[in-house]
């Protein structure tokens, strides 16, 4: 570890400790457990069969699509968690004055903001990872679906979580928390709806087309990672293009967060 990166990791560890002491983490743990129970129920329903001429016939297509829906739901849960945790993880120390005490040390504002973001992301990605692993084990055991695609799906969820978390944290410096949360839910829902429409072949125009074609591929990248569960050609997209879009949005959102925090006034 270089001398330049050591302060960042120290700040990130402190940010993670602050996040773990919040009561919201207990709520997240309970909600994640309930979500895992829902996943358990959904995966048991996914192994659907029909009766034709008195004989049971399996429907692997329905099983694959239901499994894809479960995994995408776990990914969206991870994104919303990242935004919710980040929505006050920087604004709170800024409001209570503790950020000024930390910045009195030889610490840059950019490092402090990104470290707070990293602390929130660790919890969100940990919770999302547990859900995806649980879903993958259940789907593999009950429906015979391969679990390796979930690794790429988790990577896509993590990239989206960085973007959503950074944008939510930047917005929280200017907006009240309730407004930030509403903006978070509306933004994730809007992008997800546009991505879903694009996946089903809808001809999108106007704002929806721009969001699906140039916005962060929050759902598109997860679905593309899991295309093997239904058919390799059933999900449109290109791995390189989706990866580049994620990279651009992660970099842009992080730069926006750093810029917004540098302009914020310390109490």
């Amino acid at each position: 570890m270089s001398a330049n990166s050591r302060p960042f990791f120290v700040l990130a560890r402190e940010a993670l400790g602050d996040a773990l002491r919040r009561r919201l983490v207990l709520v997240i743990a309970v909600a994640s457990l309930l979500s895992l129970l829902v996943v358990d129920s959904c995966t048991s329903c996914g192994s659907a069969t029909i009766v034709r001429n008195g004989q049971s016939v399996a429907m692997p297509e329905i099983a694959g699509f239901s499994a894809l829906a479960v995994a995408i739901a776990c990914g969206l849960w991870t994104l919303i968690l990242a935004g919710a945790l980040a929505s006050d993880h920087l604004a709170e120390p800024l409001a209570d004055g503790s950020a000024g005490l930390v910045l009195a040390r030889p610490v840059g504002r950019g490092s402090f903001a990104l470290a707070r973001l990293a602390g929130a992301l660790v919890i969100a990605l940990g919770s999302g990872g547990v859900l995806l692993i649980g879903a993958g084990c259940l789907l593999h055991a009950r429906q015979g679906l391969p679990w390796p695609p979930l690794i790429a799906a988790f990577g896509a969820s993590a990239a989206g979580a960085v973007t959503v978390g950074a944008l939510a944290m930047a917005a929280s410096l200017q907006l009240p928390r309730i407004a930030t949360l509403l903006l978070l839910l509306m933004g994730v829902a809007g992008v997800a709806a546009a991505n879903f429409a694009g996946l089903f072949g809808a001809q999108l125009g106007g704002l929806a087309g721009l969001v699906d074609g140039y916005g962060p591929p929050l759902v598109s990248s997860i679905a593309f990672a899991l295309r093997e569960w239904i058919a390799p050609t059933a999900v449109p997209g290109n791995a390189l293009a989706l990866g580049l879009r994620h990279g651009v949005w992660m970099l842009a959102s992080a730069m926006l967060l750093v810029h917004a925090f540098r302009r914020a006034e310390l109490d």
Side-chain angles (χ1 to χ4, degrees), residues 117-143:
L117 175 63
L121 288 175
V122 168
I123 295 178
L125 294 179
S127 175
V130 168
L131 278 180
L132 277 175
I133 291 172
C137 293
L138 292 171
L139 291 168
H140 178 72
R142 293 175 176 175
Q143 302 176 22

Side-chain angles (χ1 to χ4, degrees), residues 20-267:
L20 290 173
R21 286 190 288 270
R22 295 167 59 185
R23 286 177 291 181
L24 181 59
V25 174
L26 178 60
V27 176
I28 290 173
V30 174
S32 298
L33 178 60
L34 294 176
S35 300
L36 195 56
L37 295 177
V38 173
V39 168
D40 177 55
S41 176
C42 292
T43 53
S44 63
C45 296
S47 53
T49 59
I50 61 174
V51 177
R52 180 183 299 168
N53 298 327
Q55 294 183 346
S56 296
V57 181
M59 295 192 296
E61 294 84 2
I62 292 181
F65 276 106
S66 64
L68 184 64
V70 168
I72 289 176
C74 292
L76 290 176
W77 167 253
T78 304
L79 301 180
I80 292 173
L81 271 185
L85 286 168
S87 64
D88 66 347
H89 206 46
L90 180 60
E92 187 175 273
L94 188 62
D96 63 20
S98 58
L101 297 177
V102 175
L103 293 173
R105 297 180 282 176
V107 173
R109 286 200 178 198
S111 296
F112 180 73
L114 294 177
R116 299 297 294 185
L117 175 63
L121 288 175
V122 168
I123 295 178
L125 294 179
S127 175
V130 168
L131 278 180
L132 277 175
I133 291 172
C137 293
L138 292 171
L139 291 168
H140 178 72
R142 293 175 176 175
Q143 302 176 22
L145 294 173
W147 60 264
L150 282 172
I151 299 175
F154 178 74
S157 299
V162 172
T163 297
V164 172
L167 292 177
M169 187 170 278
S172 70
L173 299 177
Q174 302 294 330
L175 300 174
R177 189 163 190 263
I178 185 63
T180 303
L181 291 175
L182 288 174
L183 185 62
L184 162 70
L185 294 175
M186 291 172 58
V188 172
V191 175
N195 286 172
F196 271 120
L199 289 174
F200 285 103
Q203 298 298 320
L204 300 176
L207 180 59
L210 290 175
V211 169
D212 183 50
Y214 300 99
L218 303 181
V219 170
S220 301
S221 57
I222 298 175
F224 184 81
L226 300 173
R227 66 195 184 282
E228 183 181 341
W229 285 1
I230 44 178
T233 59
V235 179
N238 178 274
L240 179 59
L242 291 172
L244 286 175
R245 277 171 60 189
H246 263 312
V248 169
W249 275 96
M250 285 192 294
L251 180 61
S253 59
M255 292 176 62
L256 177 64
L257 170 61
V258 171
H259 175 72
F261 187 58
R262 284 175 175 168
R263 292 176 60 87
E265 295 184 3
L266 298 177
D267 292 335

